[in-house]
PDB file of all heavy atoms in Angstrom:
ATOM      1  N   ALA A  23      16.278-280.196  24.643  1.00 80.00           N
ATOM      2  CA  ALA A  23      17.318-280.818  23.819  1.00 80.00           C
ATOM      3  C   ALA A  23      17.862-282.097  24.437  1.00 80.00           C
ATOM      4  O   ALA A  23      18.017-283.122  23.754  1.00 80.00           O
ATOM      5  CB  ALA A  23      18.454-279.815  23.574  1.00 80.00           C
ATOM      6  N   ALA A  24      18.152-282.071  25.734  1.00 79.00           N
ATOM      7  CA  ALA A  24      18.748-283.247  26.384  1.00 79.00           C
ATOM      8  C   ALA A  24      17.805-284.440  26.323  1.00 79.00           C
ATOM      9  O   ALA A  24      18.219-285.564  26.010  1.00 79.00           O
ATOM     10  CB  ALA A  24      19.112-282.913  27.829  1.00 79.00           C
ATOM     11  N   TRP A  25      16.517-284.204  26.600  1.00 80.00           N
ATOM     12  CA  TRP A  25      15.546-285.306  26.553  1.00 80.00           C
ATOM     13  C   TRP A  25      15.332-285.797  25.127  1.00 80.00           C
ATOM     14  O   TRP A  25      15.284-287.007  24.886  1.00 80.00           O
ATOM     15  CB  TRP A  25      14.217-284.833  27.153  1.00 80.00           C
ATOM     16  CG  TRP A  25      13.156-285.891  27.115  1.00 80.00           C
ATOM     17  CD1 TRP A  25      12.956-286.899  28.005  1.00 80.00           C
ATOM     18  CD2 TRP A  25      12.138-286.049  26.106  1.00 80.00           C
ATOM     19  NE1 TRP A  25      11.884-287.675  27.629  1.00 80.00           N
ATOM     20  CE2 TRP A  25      11.363-287.181  26.465  1.00 80.00           C
ATOM     21  CE3 TRP A  25      11.812-285.358  24.943  1.00 80.00           C
ATOM     22  CZ2 TRP A  25      10.282-287.617  25.703  1.00 80.00           C
ATOM     23  CZ3 TRP A  25      10.739-285.799  24.186  1.00 80.00           C
ATOM     24  CH2 TRP A  25       9.989-286.906  24.562  1.00 80.00           C
ATOM     25  N   ILE A  26      15.205-284.882  24.197  1.00 81.00           N
ATOM     26  CA  ILE A  26      14.942-285.252  22.799  1.00 81.00           C
ATOM     27  C   ILE A  26      16.037-286.153  22.251  1.00 81.00           C
ATOM     28  O   ILE A  26      15.764-287.132  21.548  1.00 81.00           O
ATOM     29  CB  ILE A  26      14.798-283.977  21.937  1.00 81.00           C
ATOM     30  CG1 ILE A  26      13.480-283.266  22.273  1.00 81.00           C
ATOM     31  CG2 ILE A  26      14.876-284.291  20.448  1.00 81.00           C
ATOM     32  CD1 ILE A  26      13.339-281.897  21.649  1.00 81.00           C
ATOM     33  N   GLU A  27      17.266-285.865  22.602  1.00 79.00           N
ATOM     34  CA  GLU A  27      18.394-286.610  22.027  1.00 79.00           C
ATOM     35  C   GLU A  27      18.579-287.986  22.654  1.00 79.00           C
ATOM     36  O   GLU A  27      19.420-288.763  22.200  1.00 79.00           O
ATOM     37  CB  GLU A  27      19.669-285.772  22.147  1.00 79.00           C
ATOM     38  CG  GLU A  27      19.632-284.536  21.257  1.00 79.00           C
ATOM     39  CD  GLU A  27      20.816-283.603  21.479  1.00 79.00           C
ATOM     40  OE1 GLU A  27      21.811-284.043  22.079  1.00 79.00           O
ATOM     41  OE2 GLU A  27      20.729-282.438  21.042  1.00 79.00           O
ATOM     42  N   THR A  28      17.802-288.310  23.679  1.00 77.00           N
ATOM     43  CA  THR A  28      17.878-289.649  24.272  1.00 77.00           C
ATOM     44  C   THR A  28      16.787-290.576  23.740  1.00 77.00           C
ATOM     45  O   THR A  28      16.763-291.756  24.101  1.00 77.00           O
ATOM     46  CB  THR A  28      17.754-289.567  25.802  1.00 77.00           C
ATOM     47  OG1 THR A  28      16.471-289.020  26.143  1.00 77.00           O
ATOM     48  CG2 THR A  28      18.865-288.715  26.402  1.00 77.00           C
ATOM     49  N   GLN A  29      15.888-290.063  22.895  1.00 78.00           N
ATOM     50  CA  GLN A  29      14.769-290.875  22.410  1.00 78.00           C
ATOM     51  C   GLN A  29      15.119-291.596  21.107  1.00 78.00           C
ATOM     52  O   GLN A  29      15.903-291.101  20.296  1.00 78.00           O
ATOM     53  CB  GLN A  29      13.535-289.994  22.185  1.00 78.00           C
ATOM     54  CG  GLN A  29      13.133-289.171  23.399  1.00 78.00           C
ATOM     55  CD  GLN A  29      12.919-290.013  24.623  1.00 78.00           C
ATOM     56  OE1 GLN A  29      12.128-290.954  24.614  1.00 78.00           O
ATOM     57  NE2 GLN A  29      13.634-289.691  25.698  1.00 78.00           N
ATOM     58  N   ASP A  30      14.521-292.766  20.920  1.00 76.00           N
ATOM     59  CA  ASP A  30      14.689-293.534  19.688  1.00 76.00           C
ATOM     60  C   ASP A  30      13.569-293.145  18.727  1.00 76.00           C
ATOM     61  O   ASP A  30      12.515-293.771  18.663  1.00 76.00           O
ATOM     62  CB  ASP A  30      14.641-295.037  19.999  1.00 76.00           C
ATOM     63  CG  ASP A  30      15.020-295.891  18.790  1.00 76.00           C
ATOM     64  OD1 ASP A  30      15.021-295.344  17.668  1.00 76.00           O
ATOM     65  OD2 ASP A  30      15.316-297.079  18.970  1.00 76.00           O
ATOM     66  N   TRP A  31      13.802-292.080  17.971  1.00 77.00           N
ATOM     67  CA  TRP A  31      12.757-291.553  17.095  1.00 77.00           C
ATOM     68  C   TRP A  31      12.495-292.460  15.895  1.00 77.00           C
ATOM     69  O   TRP A  31      11.377-292.492  15.371  1.00 77.00           O
ATOM     70  CB  TRP A  31      13.132-290.151  16.632  1.00 77.00           C
ATOM     71  CG  TRP A  31      13.219-289.194  17.778  1.00 77.00           C
ATOM     72  CD1 TRP A  31      14.339-288.677  18.354  1.00 77.00           C
ATOM     73  CD2 TRP A  31      12.118-288.662  18.542  1.00 77.00           C
ATOM     74  NE1 TRP A  31      14.018-287.859  19.417  1.00 77.00           N
ATOM     75  CE2 TRP A  31      12.665-287.828  19.552  1.00 77.00           C
ATOM     76  CE3 TRP A  31      10.740-288.807  18.465  1.00 77.00           C
ATOM     77  CZ2 TRP A  31      11.861-287.164  20.472  1.00 77.00           C
ATOM     78  CZ3 TRP A  31       9.942-288.134  19.380  1.00 77.00           C
ATOM     79  CH2 TRP A  31      10.513-287.324  20.364  1.00 77.00           C
ATOM     80  N   ALA A  32      13.493-293.197  15.467  1.00 75.00           N
ATOM     81  CA  ALA A  32      13.288-294.129  14.352  1.00 75.00           C
ATOM     82  C   ALA A  32      12.289-295.213  14.740  1.00 75.00           C
ATOM     83  O   ALA A  32      11.403-295.585  13.965  1.00 75.00           O
ATOM     84  CB  ALA A  32      14.626-294.745  13.930  1.00 75.00           C
ATOM     85  N   TYR A  33      12.426-295.715  15.962  1.00 70.00           N
ATOM     86  CA  TYR A  33      11.499-296.740  16.434  1.00 70.00           C
ATOM     87  C   TYR A  33      10.103-296.148  16.619  1.00 70.00           C
ATOM     88  O   TYR A  33       9.098-296.778  16.291  1.00 70.00           O
ATOM     89  CB  TYR A  33      12.007-297.333  17.743  1.00 70.00           C
ATOM     90  CG  TYR A  33      11.155-298.468  18.268  1.00 70.00           C
ATOM     91  CD1 TYR A  33      11.216-299.732  17.696  1.00 70.00           C
ATOM     92  CD2 TYR A  33      10.289-298.272  19.338  1.00 70.00           C
ATOM     93  CE1 TYR A  33      10.437-300.769  18.172  1.00 70.00           C
ATOM     94  CE2 TYR A  33       9.504-299.302  19.829  1.00 70.00           C
ATOM     95  CZ  TYR A  33       9.585-300.555  19.240  1.00 70.00           C
ATOM     96  OH  TYR A  33       8.809-301.580  19.716  1.00 70.00           O
ATOM     97  N   ALA A  34      10.032-294.934  17.122  1.00 73.00           N
ATOM     98  CA  ALA A  34       8.738-294.282  17.303  1.00 73.00           C
ATOM     99  C   ALA A  34       8.038-294.071  15.965  1.00 73.00           C
ATOM    100  O   ALA A  34       6.816-294.182  15.866  1.00 73.00           O
ATOM    101  CB  ALA A  34       8.919-292.949  18.031  1.00 73.00           C
ATOM    102  N   ALA A  35       8.829-293.784  14.939  1.00 74.00           N
ATOM    103  CA  ALA A  35       8.242-293.560  13.612  1.00 74.00           C
ATOM    104  C   ALA A  35       7.688-294.843  13.012  1.00 74.00           C
ATOM    105  O   ALA A  35       6.777-294.808  12.178  1.00 74.00           O
ATOM    106  CB  ALA A  35       9.295-292.964  12.674  1.00 74.00           C
ATOM    107  N   SER A  36       8.214-295.991  13.445  1.00 67.00           N
ATOM    108  CA  SER A  36       7.791-297.266  12.870  1.00 67.00           C
ATOM    109  C   SER A  36       6.714-297.967  13.684  1.00 67.00           C
ATOM    110  O   SER A  36       6.105-298.922  13.211  1.00 67.00           O
ATOM    111  CB  SER A  36       8.997-298.208  12.728  1.00 67.00           C
ATOM    112  OG  SER A  36       9.537-298.522  14.003  1.00 67.00           O
ATOM    113  N   LYS A  37       6.476-297.520  14.930  1.00 63.00           N
ATOM    114  CA  LYS A  37       5.500-298.196  15.789  1.00 63.00           C
ATOM    115  C   LYS A  37       4.603-297.157  16.441  1.00 63.00           C
ATOM    116  O   LYS A  37       5.051-296.353  17.253  1.00 63.00           O
ATOM    117  CB  LYS A  37       6.210-299.036  16.841  1.00 63.00           C
ATOM    118  CG  LYS A  37       5.257-299.934  17.624  1.00 63.00           C
ATOM    119  CD  LYS A  37       6.002-300.960  18.452  1.00 63.00           C
ATOM    120  CE  LYS A  37       5.025-301.909  19.140  1.00 63.00           C
ATOM    121  NZ  LYS A  37       5.716-302.949  19.925  1.00 63.00           N
ATOM    122  N   GLU A  38       3.327-297.199  16.110  1.00 65.00           N
ATOM    123  CA  GLU A  38       2.393-296.165  16.563  1.00 65.00           C
ATOM    124  C   GLU A  38       2.231-296.153  18.078  1.00 65.00           C
ATOM    125  O   GLU A  38       2.145-295.094  18.696  1.00 65.00           O
ATOM    126  CB  GLU A  38       1.032-296.381  15.907  1.00 65.00           C
ATOM    127  CG  GLU A  38       0.014-295.298  16.255  1.00 65.00           C
ATOM    128  CD  GLU A  38      -1.321-295.504  15.560  1.00 65.00           C
ATOM    129  OE1 GLU A  38      -1.401-296.413  14.717  1.00 65.00           O
ATOM    130  OE2 GLU A  38      -2.260-294.766  15.868  1.00 65.00           O
ATOM    131  N   SER A  39       2.188-297.347  18.699  1.00 59.00           N
ATOM    132  CA  SER A  39       1.985-297.394  20.148  1.00 59.00           C
ATOM    133  C   SER A  39       3.139-296.723  20.885  1.00 59.00           C
ATOM    134  O   SER A  39       2.937-296.010  21.872  1.00 59.00           O
ATOM    135  CB  SER A  39       1.845-298.842  20.617  1.00 59.00           C
ATOM    136  OG  SER A  39       3.012-299.584  20.310  1.00 59.00           O
ATOM    137  N   HIS A  40       4.368-296.937  20.378  1.00 66.00           N
ATOM    138  CA  HIS A  40       5.514-296.300  21.033  1.00 66.00           C
ATOM    139  C   HIS A  40       5.517-294.791  20.756  1.00 66.00           C
ATOM    140  O   HIS A  40       5.908-294.001  21.616  1.00 66.00           O
ATOM    141  CB  HIS A  40       6.820-296.922  20.540  1.00 66.00           C
ATOM    142  CG  HIS A  40       8.032-296.389  21.244  1.00 66.00           C
ATOM    143  ND1 HIS A  40       8.283-296.634  22.570  1.00 66.00           N
ATOM    144  CD2 HIS A  40       9.055-295.600  20.804  1.00 66.00           C
ATOM    145  CE1 HIS A  40       9.408-296.029  22.923  1.00 66.00           C
ATOM    146  NE2 HIS A  40       9.888-295.398  21.878  1.00 66.00           N
ATOM    147  N   ALA A  41       5.077-294.417  19.565  1.00 73.00           N
ATOM    148  CA  ALA A  41       4.997-292.986  19.248  1.00 73.00           C
ATOM    149  C   ALA A  41       4.028-292.284  20.186  1.00 73.00           C
ATOM    150  O   ALA A  41       4.283-291.165  20.646  1.00 73.00           O
ATOM    151  CB  ALA A  41       4.563-292.801  17.793  1.00 73.00           C
ATOM    152  N   THR A  42       2.909-292.943  20.495  1.00 69.00           N
ATOM    153  CA  THR A  42       1.950-292.368  21.441  1.00 69.00           C
ATOM    154  C   THR A  42       2.571-292.214  22.820  1.00 69.00           C
ATOM    155  O   THR A  42       2.382-291.192  23.499  1.00 69.00           O
ATOM    156  CB  THR A  42       0.697-293.262  21.531  1.00 69.00           C
ATOM    157  OG1 THR A  42       0.121-293.391  20.231  1.00 69.00           O
ATOM    158  CG2 THR A  42      -0.339-292.655  22.476  1.00 69.00           C
ATOM    159  N   LEU A  43       3.323-293.229  23.233  1.00 68.00           N
ATOM    160  CA  LEU A  43       3.999-293.165  24.530  1.00 68.00           C
ATOM    161  C   LEU A  43       4.986-292.000  24.572  1.00 68.00           C
ATOM    162  O   LEU A  43       5.019-291.225  25.539  1.00 68.00           O
ATOM    163  CB  LEU A  43       4.731-294.485  24.796  1.00 68.00           C
ATOM    164  CG  LEU A  43       5.581-294.552  26.073  1.00 68.00           C
ATOM    165  CD1 LEU A  43       4.705-294.380  27.304  1.00 68.00           C
ATOM    166  CD2 LEU A  43       6.347-295.865  26.134  1.00 68.00           C
ATOM    167  N   VAL A  44       5.779-291.857  23.508  1.00 74.00           N
ATOM    168  CA  VAL A  44       6.760-290.774  23.455  1.00 74.00           C
ATOM    169  C   VAL A  44       6.058-289.418  23.451  1.00 74.00           C
ATOM    170  O   VAL A  44       6.513-288.460  24.090  1.00 74.00           O
ATOM    171  CB  VAL A  44       7.665-290.922  22.209  1.00 74.00           C
ATOM    172  CG1 VAL A  44       8.564-289.701  22.053  1.00 74.00           C
ATOM    173  CG2 VAL A  44       8.510-292.181  22.317  1.00 74.00           C
ATOM    174  N   PHE A  45       4.931-289.334  22.737  1.00 76.00           N
ATOM    175  CA  PHE A  45       4.194-288.071  22.694  1.00 76.00           C
ATOM    176  C   PHE A  45       3.735-287.642  24.081  1.00 76.00           C
ATOM    177  O   PHE A  45       3.888-286.482  24.476  1.00 76.00           O
ATOM    178  CB  PHE A  45       2.990-288.203  21.759  1.00 76.00           C
ATOM    179  CG  PHE A  45       2.085-286.992  21.766  1.00 76.00           C
ATOM    180  CD1 PHE A  45       2.444-285.837  21.089  1.00 76.00           C
ATOM    181  CD2 PHE A  45       0.889-287.019  22.460  1.00 76.00           C
ATOM    182  CE1 PHE A  45       1.614-284.717  21.106  1.00 76.00           C
ATOM    183  CE2 PHE A  45       0.053-285.913  22.480  1.00 76.00           C
ATOM    184  CZ  PHE A  45       0.428-284.758  21.803  1.00 76.00           C
ATOM    185  N   HIS A  46       3.177-288.584  24.837  1.00 69.00           N
ATOM    186  CA  HIS A  46       2.713-288.235  26.182  1.00 69.00           C
ATOM    187  C   HIS A  46       3.886-287.935  27.108  1.00 69.00           C
ATOM    188  O   HIS A  46       3.777-287.085  27.997  1.00 69.00           O
ATOM    189  CB  HIS A  46       1.845-289.355  26.741  1.00 69.00           C
ATOM    190  CG  HIS A  46       0.477-289.407  26.127  1.00 69.00           C
ATOM    191  ND1 HIS A  46      -0.554-288.601  26.527  1.00 69.00           N
ATOM    192  CD2 HIS A  46      -0.017-290.149  25.091  1.00 69.00           C
ATOM    193  CE1 HIS A  46      -1.633-288.844  25.806  1.00 69.00           C
ATOM    194  NE2 HIS A  46      -1.330-289.787  24.918  1.00 69.00           N
ATOM    195  N   ASN A  47       5.013-288.611  26.896  1.00 73.00           N
ATOM    196  CA  ASN A  47       6.210-288.264  27.663  1.00 73.00           C
ATOM    197  C   ASN A  47       6.682-286.853  27.326  1.00 73.00           C
ATOM    198  O   ASN A  47       7.165-286.116  28.193  1.00 73.00           O
ATOM    199  CB  ASN A  47       7.329-289.271  27.386  1.00 73.00           C
ATOM    200  CG  ASN A  47       7.050-290.630  28.000  1.00 73.00           C
ATOM    201  OD1 ASN A  47       6.225-290.743  28.902  1.00 73.00           O
ATOM    202  ND2 ASN A  47       7.714-291.657  27.526  1.00 73.00           N
ATOM    203  N   LEU A  48       6.548-286.476  26.046  1.00 78.00           N
ATOM    204  CA  LEU A  48       6.909-285.129  25.615  1.00 78.00           C
ATOM    205  C   LEU A  48       6.041-284.092  26.333  1.00 78.00           C
ATOM    206  O   LEU A  48       6.545-283.067  26.816  1.00 78.00           O
ATOM    207  CB  LEU A  48       6.739-285.003  24.096  1.00 78.00           C
ATOM    208  CG  LEU A  48       6.889-283.590  23.504  1.00 78.00           C
ATOM    209  CD1 LEU A  48       8.297-283.059  23.727  1.00 78.00           C
ATOM    210  CD2 LEU A  48       6.552-283.595  22.017  1.00 78.00           C
ATOM    211  N   LEU A  49       4.738-284.357  26.428  1.00 75.00           N
ATOM    212  CA  LEU A  49       3.864-283.435  27.145  1.00 75.00           C
ATOM    213  C   LEU A  49       4.276-283.329  28.610  1.00 75.00           C
ATOM    214  O   LEU A  49       4.224-282.244  29.208  1.00 75.00           O
ATOM    215  CB  LEU A  49       2.409-283.903  27.045  1.00 75.00           C
ATOM    216  CG  LEU A  49       1.788-283.928  25.645  1.00 75.00           C
ATOM    217  CD1 LEU A  49       0.328-284.341  25.730  1.00 75.00           C
ATOM    218  CD2 LEU A  49       1.913-282.587  24.951  1.00 75.00           C
ATOM    219  N   GLY A  50       4.700-284.459  29.182  1.00 68.00           N
ATOM    220  CA  GLY A  50       5.174-284.426  30.563  1.00 68.00           C
ATOM    221  C   GLY A  50       6.434-283.597  30.719  1.00 68.00           C
ATOM    222  O   GLY A  50       6.593-282.853  31.700  1.00 68.00           O
ATOM    223  N   GLU A  51       7.352-283.698  29.749  1.00 76.00           N
ATOM    224  CA  GLU A  51       8.574-282.891  29.783  1.00 76.00           C
ATOM    225  C   GLU A  51       8.246-281.401  29.653  1.00 76.00           C
ATOM    226  O   GLU A  51       8.886-280.555  30.284  1.00 76.00           O
ATOM    227  CB  GLU A  51       9.520-283.323  28.649  1.00 76.00           C
ATOM    228  CG  GLU A  51      10.119-284.706  28.820  1.00 76.00           C
ATOM    229  CD  GLU A  51      11.058-284.777  30.009  1.00 76.00           C
ATOM    230  OE1 GLU A  51      11.782-283.788  30.264  1.00 76.00           O
ATOM    231  OE2 GLU A  51      11.062-285.812  30.694  1.00 76.00           O
ATOM    232  N   ILE A  52       7.252-281.084  28.819  1.00 77.00           N
ATOM    233  CA  ILE A  52       6.830-279.686  28.683  1.00 77.00           C
ATOM    234  C   ILE A  52       6.285-279.177  30.016  1.00 77.00           C
ATOM    235  O   ILE A  52       6.566-278.045  30.427  1.00 77.00           O
ATOM    236  CB  ILE A  52       5.776-279.546  27.564  1.00 77.00           C
ATOM    237  CG1 ILE A  52       6.411-279.869  26.200  1.00 77.00           C
ATOM    238  CG2 ILE A  52       5.191-278.143  27.546  1.00 77.00           C
ATOM    239  CD1 ILE A  52       5.427-279.852  25.051  1.00 77.00           C
ATOM    240  N   ASP A  53       5.496-280.022  30.700  1.00 70.00           N
ATOM    241  CA  ASP A  53       4.961-279.629  32.014  1.00 70.00           C
ATOM    242  C   ASP A  53       6.080-279.351  33.007  1.00 70.00           C
ATOM    243  O   ASP A  53       6.027-278.381  33.774  1.00 70.00           O
ATOM    244  CB  ASP A  53       4.046-280.729  32.567  1.00 70.00           C
ATOM    245  CG  ASP A  53       2.702-280.765  31.861  1.00 70.00           C
ATOM    246  OD1 ASP A  53       2.333-279.733  31.268  1.00 70.00           O
ATOM    247  OD2 ASP A  53       2.034-281.806  31.892  1.00 70.00           O
ATOM    248  N   GLN A  54       7.113-280.207  33.012  1.00 71.00           N
ATOM    249  CA  GLN A  54       8.234-280.005  33.935  1.00 71.00           C
ATOM    250  C   GLN A  54       8.982-278.713  33.618  1.00 71.00           C
ATOM    251  O   GLN A  54       9.378-277.962  34.514  1.00 71.00           O
ATOM    252  CB  GLN A  54       9.187-281.199  33.869  1.00 71.00           C
ATOM    253  CG  GLN A  54       8.598-282.475  34.454  1.00 71.00           C
ATOM    254  CD  GLN A  54       9.605-283.602  34.509  1.00 71.00           C
ATOM    255  OE1 GLN A  54      10.809-283.372  34.438  1.00 71.00           O
ATOM    256  NE2 GLN A  54       9.115-284.828  34.613  1.00 71.00           N
ATOM    257  N   GLN A  55       9.186-278.452  32.325  1.00 73.00           N
ATOM    258  CA  GLN A  55       9.872-277.230  31.928  1.00 73.00           C
ATOM    259  C   GLN A  55       9.036-276.013  32.313  1.00 73.00           C
ATOM    260  O   GLN A  55       9.561-274.991  32.759  1.00 73.00           O
ATOM    261  CB  GLN A  55      10.133-277.236  30.416  1.00 73.00           C
ATOM    262  CG  GLN A  55      10.956-276.055  29.915  1.00 73.00           C
ATOM    263  CD  GLN A  55      12.357-276.033  30.493  1.00 73.00           C
ATOM    264  OE1 GLN A  55      13.037-277.049  30.502  1.00 73.00           O
ATOM    265  NE2 GLN A  55      12.801-274.894  30.969  1.00 73.00           N
TER     266      GLN A  55
END
């Protein structure tokens, strides 16, 4: 929750390259958890 609420999801939805970056960061957060 804490990480998710710090992301700019509107920007990720409008730009594919940033969405890919956020996705891989999400996988990294899952690994840490």
Side-chain angles (χ1 to χ4, degrees):
W25 179 84
I26 289 171
E27 292 173 16
T28 62
Q29 306 305 305
D30 189 344
W31 297 105
Y33 184 76
S36 64
K37 189 168 184 178
E38 183 178 353
S39 60
H40 184 68
T42 302
L43 176 62
V44 173
F45 174 77
H46 285 278
N47 289 341
L48 172 63
L49 296 183
E51 291 294 323
I52 294 176
D53 285 339
Q54 291 186 19
Q55 185 63 47

